[in-house]
Amino acid sequence: MGNSCVCREDSDLEDHHHGSLRATRGQARRVDHSTGIGVDAGEARSSRPRDPVRPPRRGRGPHEPRRKKQNVDGLVLDTLAVIRTLVDNDQEPPYSMITLHEMAETDDGWLEVVQSLIRVIPLDDPLGPAVITLLLDECPLPTKDALQKLSDMLSLSSAVARQDALNPAKHRNTTAVLGCLAEKLAGPASIGLLSPGTLEYLLESLSSEAHPTVMLFALIALEKFSQTSENKLTVSESCISKRLAVLESWAEQPDYLKRQVGFCSQWSLDNLFLKDGRQFTYEKVNLTNINAMLNSNDVSEYLKISPSGLEARCDASSFESVRCTFCVDSGVWYYEVTVITSGVMQIGWATKDSKFLNHEGYGIGDDEYSCAYDGCRQLIWYNARSKPHSHPCWKEGDAIGFLLDLSKKQMIFYLNGHQLPPEKQVFSSATSGFFAAASFMSYQQCEFNFGAKPFRHPPSVKFSTFNDFASLMPSEKIILPRHRRLALLKQVSIRDNCCTLCCDVMADTELRPCGHGKERHTGPIASSSNPLSPSRAARTVPQFCDNTRCHNSDIRSCAENIVEIVDMDEENFAISSSSAADTAFDAVIGCIEDIIMEEEFQQLQQSFMEKHYLEFDDSDENKLSYTAIFNEYIDLLEKHLEQQLMRRISGFNMDTFIQLLMQHKEEVSSDIFDMLLTFTDFMAFKEMFLEYRAEKEGRGLDLSQGLVVTSLISAGSKHNGSTETQ
């Protein structure tokens, strides 16, 4: 892709001296759509902190005329050129981006924007594909008519993939657009978009005659289409695994573009498109000399980590982060990173207190407990603020060095052996417990060296390496494919009344609402719930063991409201199996638990709520638009749930199930019951949106004043004693 990153202009440097940070956060962070409203959105939204990731969507004021339409190609190129220069949290988005968003509010305008992205984004710009994702992700969801018109306009086929071989930018951009839409839409819309012609086009783009960057984004598009189960089956039946088996040999290529193709091919064969007779990579990789690696258990959800544990890649539209397995408290330490893609990554040091909020756009360098080097935008990040550094833009193959001197309380960053002045600001908040860590924008990849092999540019000072001092059990080095990890999780049996946090020790403390306020459910089903144990799913009151403080829980109690010991009889949680009807009902509930925890359902629900939550106000008056949104919700989510249940349970009937549900509602997890109620009860549906909006706007329920700590151990027990509250 080349090192075509545009460096800051002199005027930008001058602006830095006046306190205005002007290097883009760009799409390095996934937009928090709740912050995509500008000064006209009312005091509730304008007063809260804005997501520092992407520029806000300002929109038009109530009396402001629509901006004059300009040449769409020029607007796209203007956005690409200026996107690196935006980082200030209060800075307005560029005029070009605002205008493109407004154009995309109509079907014709949306189609113009998409066609322009395909037509004009250059091949050699490292942020080109990410800007495609940024613009499409911010635009309104396309209608069915718009998607059909786009399919007709593109008229994709294997023959089209072979055309214009000398113009790979057009094909790269087309595949990037398809991948973004597949991720954004999911469900039935994604199924419709993957027509036979589109599938032929993407498969042909994987042929050896295609440009490697076209191959890469075609594969990523197929991955994202396969997030929908029906599409995954369709793609798998196309014999894609045979093509990928050839391409995975590129994973060790010195050509960094081909290396990306090899990495993604290998990951897809391990996780998505399984090939009969192929050994999984984790089963054959040699980890004998690896004592420190990226922590696959301490990583945001969409980051891809190689089976070696030393290479990571992000192809999601969120800002994915990861930490190393080894933590240091004293001494001098060094590690290196090889840049495989030259776009936006923030790499450096973080403590366990650092926040990985991938969808809100917070990564390394975005809080007071971490500091990061950004070689694309030539910035140092600390506490969500940036300052320029003097290194040139990094490029593929560069070696970035990271030195941590805890005795002198300083961090030093290197580019191919050339060091920057020390950074010390993070030590005002943290002095120990540091991990190597990194955050990745879309389509970015790098390789870590924690000392298992010689460093390319070791510093002149004496230092230690993670690999020399860390240790990992053989089982701790294994990074399982997702389907195998899920299979193991399904085998886990969680005892009743165990600790809600560690799931190992029997609980001796329970948190209950103190009665001072209304207990409220907070929107979509939380992914941390374990749907595999009926008794656990039915529990609505958190229980903790005496190691609560090890989990950094912040538990406060109302001193005047200590309640009596609560009887935790299993009969309160067990689901009846006294009849065939009850057994069938239990089976349906189990399937529902599985379905709502699947990525496909989560994405459908998340994208729908992101699209509509700003429409809902906490007032007694119901808007006319609520009815259309409610009907769309039922058509999308309930239909998806019903289709999945009909596939998994022979003879399933939703009406019959709803009748049984009302009879057994006391036996069903409140989270599941509340979610199902949103399909039939408009007020429950509205309340779900209001709570989701409150959470997005930082007005979620404050439990710190409404929890009571209750001992579950009877008097006289050897564990008897007051539980210290934090």
Side-chain angles (χ1 to χ4, degrees):
M1 291 165 61
N3 180 28
S4 59
C5 178
V6 178
C7 300
R8 294 182 308 276
E9 298 177 359
D10 293 339
S11 60
D12 295 327
L13 291 172
E14 185 176 342
D15 286 341
H16 273 284
H17 295 301
H18 290 85
S20 175
L21 303 175
R22 293 184 176 249
T24 186
R25 301 311 300 270
Q27 194 258 344
R29 325 259 174 106
R30 180 178 180 81
V31 154
D32 178 350
H33 292 276
S34 66
T35 64
I37 307 296
V39 296
D40 304 286
E43 183 178 353
R45 291 193 295 277
S46 61
S47 61
R48 70 181 185 279
R50 190 184 69 75
D51 173 14
V53 183
R54 285 174 162 169
R57 290 182 62 185
R58 175 175 173 271
R60 298 188 305 279
H63 305 296
E64 184 178 350
R66 180 178 291 272
R67 292 175 179 82
K68 183 179 179 181
K69 178 179 173 182
Q70 292 189 350
N71 176 273
V72 64
D73 289 354
L75 293 170
V76 168
L77 291 174
D78 286 348
T79 301
L80 180 62
V82 76
I83 202 67
R84 295 179 182 82
T85 66
L86 300 174
V87 294
D88 186 18
N89 293 355
D90 300 319
Q91 191 172 349
E92 284 287 319
Y95 171 86
S96 56
M97 183 180 290
I98 296 173
T99 308
L100 288 169
H101 290 158
E102 291 181 356
M103 290 179 63
E105 291 173 2
T106 66
D107 282 3
D108 289 343
W110 182 85
L111 288 167
E112 279 192 74
V113 171
V114 172
Q115 289 178 291
S116 179
L117 291 172
I118 292 173
R119 189 166 52 240
V120 304
I121 295 289
L123 187 70
D124 59 352
D125 193 303
L127 291 184
V131 168
I132 290 175
T133 300
L134 164 66
L135 288 172
L136 287 182
D137 204 41
E138 274 288 83
C139 289
L141 284 171
T143 64
K144 291 182 180 179
D145 288 343
L147 286 174
Q148 184 59 54
K149 288 180 181 178
L150 178 63
S151 296
D152 294 341
M153 288 177 178
L154 296 177
S155 191
L156 298 176
S157 65
S158 56
V160 171
R162 291 189 292 268
Q163 294 172 1
D164 297 328
L166 298 179
N167 183 18
K170 174 184 175 182
H171 293 299
R172 192 280 308 270
N173 295 342
T174 300
T175 52
V177 165
L178 290 172
C180 181
L181 293 177
E183 181 179 32
K184 186 179 177 70
L185 297 170
S190 177
I191 295 171
L193 186 60
L194 188 64
S195 65
T198 300
L199 180 59
E200 285 180 12
Y201 175 83
L202 292 173
L203 292 173
E204 184 64 29
S205 296
L206 294 176
S207 68
S208 57
E209 290 77 20
H211 191 283
T213 193
V214 177
M215 301 169 73
L216 174 65
F217 283 92
L219 177 52
I220 293 170
L222 288 166
E223 285 180 11
K224 294 184 177 182
F225 273 116
S226 297
Q227 291 172 357
T228 301
S229 55
E230 187 171 327
N231 281 342
K232 181 179 178 181
L233 180 62
T234 301
V235 176
S236 298
E237 290 175 345
S238 69
C239 299
I240 186 176
S241 59
K242 293 181 179 179
R243 300 177 186 234
L244 299 184
V246 176
L247 296 177
E248 74 167 322
S249 63
W250 289 5
E252 303 300 326
Q253 271 269 355
D255 182 312
Y256 289 104
L257 187 51
K258 289 185 176 180
R259 180 168 173 169
Q260 295 176 63
V261 176
F263 180 97
C264 290
S265 298
Q266 186 178 86
W267 188 91
S268 292
L269 285 169
D270 284 336
N271 290 273
L272 279 178
F273 311 122
L274 310 186
K275 186 176 187 295
D276 290 340
R278 176 185 176 272
Q279 189 178 17
F280 288 105
T281 312
Y282 82 91
E283 296 173 326
K284 57 186 179 181
V285 64
N286 184 3
L287 301 176
T288 305
N289 297 322
I290 303 297
N291 300 318
M293 57 173 52
L294 301 175
N295 192 340
S296 61
N297 296 314
D298 184 24
V299 60
S300 51
E301 55 192 322
Y302 299 122
L303 194 69
K304 300 174 180 176
I305 300 179
S306 68
S308 69
L310 297 175
E311 197 162 337
R313 178 180 178 89
C314 173
D315 287 316
S317 56
S318 43
F319 197 46
E320 301 296 308
S321 300
V322 65
R323 277 189 282 248
C324 177
T325 54
F326 189 62
C327 173
V328 297
D329 296 308
S330 61
V332 182
W333 303 86
Y334 179 78
Y335 75 95
E336 274 185 356
V337 164
T338 297
V339 176
I340 296 174
T341 58
S342 57
V344 174
M345 296 177 281
Q346 294 175 197
I347 312 173
W349 301 92
T351 72
K352 65 181 181 180
D353 295 317
S354 299
K355 301 176 180 64
F356 291 174
L357 303 175
N358 54 338
H359 291 298
E360 284 73 22
Y362 285 87
I364 311 307
D366 294 323
D367 56 36
E368 64 271 36
Y369 304 107
S370 61
C371 184
Y373 178 95
D374 176 348
C376 176
R377 297 172 295 184
Q378 301 164 275
L379 298 170
I380 301 296
W381 289 99
Y382 168 70
N383 204 15
R385 297 180 180 275
S386 64
K387 66 177 183 179
H389 63 66
S390 58
H391 281 165
C393 295
W394 59 22
K395 61 184 183 298
E396 293 88 343
D398 280 347
I400 314 302
F402 302 86
L403 184 77
L404 174 67
D405 189 333
L406 289 167
S407 58
K408 295 182 179 180
K409 295 184 178 179
Q410 64 183 25
M411 299 174 180
I412 299 177
F413 301 113
Y414 300 80
L415 173 65
N416 297 324
H418 301 286
Q419 74 176 64
L420 292 174
E423 298 294 332
K424 300 185 177 184
Q425 59 267 54
V426 71
F427 295 98
S428 62
S429 302
T431 57
S432 63
F434 285 94
F435 299 82
S439 299
F440 300 76
M441 188 178 78
S442 298
Y443 315 122
Q444 300 308 310
Q445 181 176 336
C446 67
E447 181 186 22
F448 293 77
N449 180 7
F450 297 128
K453 62 182 180 181
F455 293 115
R456 294 166 58 187
H457 299 281
S460 57
V461 300
K462 186 178 180 180
F463 61 86
S464 302
T465 72
F466 297 167
N467 210 67
D468 288 342
F469 287 84
S471 63
L472 291 170
M473 298 289 291
S475 59
E476 295 174 322
K477 298 180 182 181
I478 297 175
I479 299 179
L480 288 172
R482 292 179 181 178
H483 61 95
R484 290 213 164 177
R485 183 189 291 261
L486 181 60
L488 287 178
L489 286 175
K490 289 185 175 180
Q491 297 174 14
V492 173
S493 176
I494 300 177
R495 295 177 296 173
D496 291 333
N497 303 340
C498 66
C499 173
T500 302
L501 294 179
C502 70
C503 299
D504 291 326
V505 182
M506 293 298 291
D508 58 16
T509 302
E510 181 182 275
L511 300 186
R512 297 178 65 87
C514 66
H516 288 173
K518 179 183 177 184
E519 182 179 10
R520 301 174 69 188
H521 175 240
T522 57
I525 303 296
S527 60
S528 59
S529 302
N530 188 330
L532 307 177
S533 169
S535 61
R536 183 161 178 79
R539 180 189 300 155
T540 59
V541 179
Q543 304 172 105
F544 303 96
C545 63
D546 57 6
N547 291 321
T548 298
R549 284 188 295 277
C550 296
H551 300 285
N552 296 317
S553 297
D554 186 12
I555 304 173
R556 296 182 174 87
S557 62
C558 298
E560 73 279 10
N561 242 341
I562 302 299
V563 299
E564 297 180 357
I565 296 173
V566 179
D567 184 12
M568 303 295 290
D569 291 339
E570 289 201 26
E571 65 183 12
N572 293 329
F573 305 113
I575 296 179
S576 172
S577 58
S578 59
S579 68
D582 289 343
T583 302
F585 177 78
D586 293 349
V588 176
I589 291 296
C591 284
I592 290 175
E593 290 172 339
D594 289 340
I595 293 167
I596 64 177
M597 295 306 297
E598 289 172 355
E599 186 175 356
E600 183 176 351
F601 185 90
Q602 294 278 323
Q603 287 188 342
L604 279 174
Q605 187 182 48
Q606 179 75 15
S607 61
F608 186 86
M609 298 189 76
E610 286 285 346
K611 177 181 177 182
H612 294 296
Y613 76 90
L614 288 173
E615 186 71 22
F616 288 80
D617 298 316
D618 196 359
S619 63
D620 294 334
E621 181 180 354
N622 291 323
K623 300 178 183 178
L624 185 62
S625 59
Y626 291 174
T627 302
I629 297 173
F630 184 45
N631 291 334
E632 183 183 352
Y633 176 79
I634 293 172
D635 185 60
L636 180 66
L637 274 298
E638 184 182 24
K639 183 178 180 181
H640 173 80
L641 183 62
E642 184 174 8
Q643 288 175 341
Q644 292 294 320
L645 287 169
M646 290 174 68
R647 290 177 185 173
R648 303 176 194 205
I649 301 175
S650 178
F652 173 78
N653 182 279
M654 181 63 85
D655 293 334
T656 303
F657 168 71
I658 293 297
Q659 293 175 6
L660 279 173
L661 177 66
M662 301 312 295
Q663 297 172 15
H664 294 266
K665 62 182 180 181
E666 298 300 328
E667 302 169 3
V668 180
S669 161
S670 61
D671 280 345
I672 294 175
F673 182 81
D674 289 346
M675 188 276 293
L676 294 173
L677 195 62
T678 61
F679 296 138
T680 58
D681 186 321
F682 172 76
M683 294 310 297
F685 167 80
K686 180 181 178 182
E687 183 71 8
M688 175 183 69
F689 268 98
L690 293 177
E691 290 167 355
Y692 185 77
R693 177 169 181 169
E695 289 294 316
K696 295 287 287 187
E697 297 179 352
R699 298 183 286 107
L701 181 63
D702 181 8
L703 294 178
S704 65
Q705 303 303 319
L707 293 177
V708 177
V709 180
T710 306
S711 174
L712 297 180
I713 306 299
S714 59
S717 167
K718 65 180 180 179
H719 293 289
N720 188 35
S722 61
T723 300
E724 181 181 348
T725 58
Q726 301 294 312

